[in-house]
Amino acid sequence: MDQVMRLAGQNGLVIFSNSSCCMCHSIKRLFCEFGANAAVYELDQEPRGKEIEEALVRLLGRRSPLPAVFIGGQLVGSTNEVMSLHLRPDGSRSRLITLLKEARVIWLYLYSTALILL
């Protein structure tokens, strides 16, 4: 658990992933489209990947913890939590964009054709 929190605190956006996971790929692509530079740990390619994944299972409380996203050193969650923050049913501004801005991961984002300075 300590290693997960240490790695999560080293960058404004950290994604624990598996290189063959389609949901992991989708989440990494979403952040890439925001212009966010994430520290990505592909656990199937990390020497201590199994240990990290087991710690994430305990932290998230679910059997399949990947992708696991941390913003500003804080656990956001997996795909459902990330998408819930991004897709707002009332059409309001994405809370995910706000979190990325507050963590200084991004500084602007284009909504439709208008430039929004965050």
Side-chain angles (χ1 to χ4, degrees):
M1 189 86 67
D2 291 339
Q3 183 178 16
V4 168
M5 298 314 290
R6 183 179 51 76
L7 292 171
Q10 291 180 349
N11 194 307
L13 173 61
V14 175
I15 303 170
F16 292 98
S17 177
N18 184 308
S19 62
S20 63
C21 169
C22 64
M23 296 310 287
C24 295
H25 175 76
S26 297
I27 291 298
K28 290 182 288 190
R29 186 79 180 116
L30 174 70
F31 286 112
C32 182
E33 288 179 12
F34 292 154
N37 187 19
V40 177
Y41 295 96
E42 300 290 357
L43 299 186
D44 59 323
Q45 298 172 1
E46 292 282 331
R48 297 183 71 191
K50 274 293 187 204
E51 286 178 47
I52 294 170
E53 189 169 351
E54 289 169 8
L56 289 167
V57 165
R58 290 190 301 276
L59 190 61
L60 289 164
R62 62 179 84 149
R63 197 173 131 237
S64 179
L66 302 177
V69 176
F70 289 78
I71 299 175
Q74 300 298 310
L75 175 64
V76 171
S78 194
T79 307
N80 288 343
E81 293 81 12
V82 169
M83 296 311 293
S84 293
L85 288 170
H86 181 52
L87 303 173
R88 305 295 294 229
D90 61 358
S92 65
R93 188 181 225 177
S94 167
R95 177 77 180 121
L96 184 59
I97 297 295
T98 303
L99 290 174
L100 291 170
K101 178 208 153 238
E102 289 171 354
R104 298 181 186 268
V105 175
I106 61 173
W107 64 276
L108 65 88
Y109 182 71
L110 296 174
Y111 281 97
S112 300
T113 58
L115 174 66
I116 307 294
L117 294 176
L118 303 174

